[in-house]
Amino acid sequence: MEKDIKDLKILIDNKTLTSRIKELADEINSKYDISKPLVLICVLRGAVMFYAELAKYLKMPVKMEFVSLSSYGNSQQSSGKIKTMNLNLPSFKGENVLVVEDIVDTGLTLDFLIKFIKSNCEAQDVKLAVLFDKKCARKYDVKPDFSAFDVDNKFIVGFGLDYCGFYRNLDYIGYFEA
Ligand code: IMP
């Protein structure tokens, strides 16, 4: 790994992250009928911290599901190809589904996943919540329904986001200064 944690600068601290995620959960609560169950799909591994934090504040009955996909490998740029590690999802006939992802960059991963869920899982409704929207990098037509932060074209780590598999456990978002 050519990068060192001492060169990491803080972009968003934990307090700002968690209070914005709580706000986003309130927005999600207000957009759904909270008497109806919601299936929350976590896109592993990057969404793990955001998913756990967000789920704490949702008011409807929640079912937790997990898929595992990757498009970055060990690089700081999308490989342009999806690696699916686990896409075993049951039928969600008549249910509302909310896909929870760490960051939408080119949109390749979520374009693939949302199309997959819509054509295979019989959900009534499929929406998308992301922690970060890197709008300037978009190549596919993916528009999050709920987004906590916009981020410009820098590579960020922490709170689930990794570089070469590391830094996911940080409770803040950082970036490496060039
Ligand atoms: P996309 O398929 O190009 O939209 O890329 C989405 C995936 O790329 C995310 O789920 C992340 O795993 C990874 N990714 C994109 N930008 C970053 C970043 O700034 N830091 C860490 N991972 C990123």
Side-chain angles (χ1 to χ4, degrees):
M1 198 173 43
E2 79 222 25
K3 296 190 186 300
D4 196 302
I5 197 157
K6 70 175 168 22
D7 301 321
L8 203 55
K9 306 277 174 236
I10 296 183
L11 184 67
I12 305 176
D13 64 22
N14 182 261
K15 202 162 164 257
T16 311
L17 272 174
T18 52
S19 72
R20 177 69 190 119
I21 294 170
K22 165 116 184 28
E23 229 173 66
L24 197 72
D26 290 340
E27 194 185 322
I28 294 170
N29 287 326
S30 75
K31 293 281 159 61
Y32 284 94
D33 171 357
I34 57 163
S35 67
K36 200 177 166 193
L38 179 65
V39 180
L40 268 195
I41 301 184
C42 177
V43 188
L44 292 171
R45 301 182 181 92
V48 64
M49 305 273 254
F50 173 45
Y51 182 82
E53 187 66 25
L54 184 75
K56 292 198 289 194
Y57 303 109
L58 295 179
K59 297 203 168 111
M60 63 291 281
V62 159
K63 278 205 269 190
M64 293 184 155
E65 294 285 346
F66 299 84
V67 293
S68 185
L69 296 173
S70 155
S71 64
Y72 259 52
N74 277 345
S75 140
Q76 284 185 56
Q77 274 184 341
S78 173
S79 67
K81 286 194 196 115
I82 308 260
K83 214 166 112 195
T84 65
M85 276 88 83
N86 171 23
L87 255 185
N88 292 327
L89 290 170
S91 162
F92 301 127
K93 197 164 185 168
E95 296 188 284
N96 291 328
V97 167
L98 181 62
V99 175
V100 180
E101 172 64 309
D102 54 355
I103 186 166
V104 54
D105 184 61
T106 65
L108 171 72
T109 310
L110 287 165
D111 181 62
F112 167 83
L113 180 61
I114 288 169
K115 284 179 182 155
F116 177 88
I117 294 168
K118 285 185 173 166
S119 44
N120 293 283
C121 299
E122 307 176 282
Q124 184 179 74
D125 179 65
V126 182
K127 289 193 172 21
L128 171 64
V130 298
L131 183 55
F132 290 102
D133 191 349
K134 217 187 247 186
K135 290 190 174 120
C136 53
R138 198 73 91 257
K139 293 189 181 150
Y140 294 79
D141 185 22
V142 173
K143 290 187 195 77
D145 300 280
F146 307 98
S147 164
F149 300 94
D150 284 342
V151 66
D152 59 16
N153 214 357
K154 50 164 68 81
F155 190 81
I156 55 176
V157 295
F159 214 76
L161 291 139
D162 77 307
Y163 172 65
C164 290
F166 291 93
Y167 307 111
R168 293 191 199 276
N169 60 315
L170 302 179
D171 74 353
Y172 61 90
I173 295 291
Y175 66 100
F176 292 100
E177 213 158 53

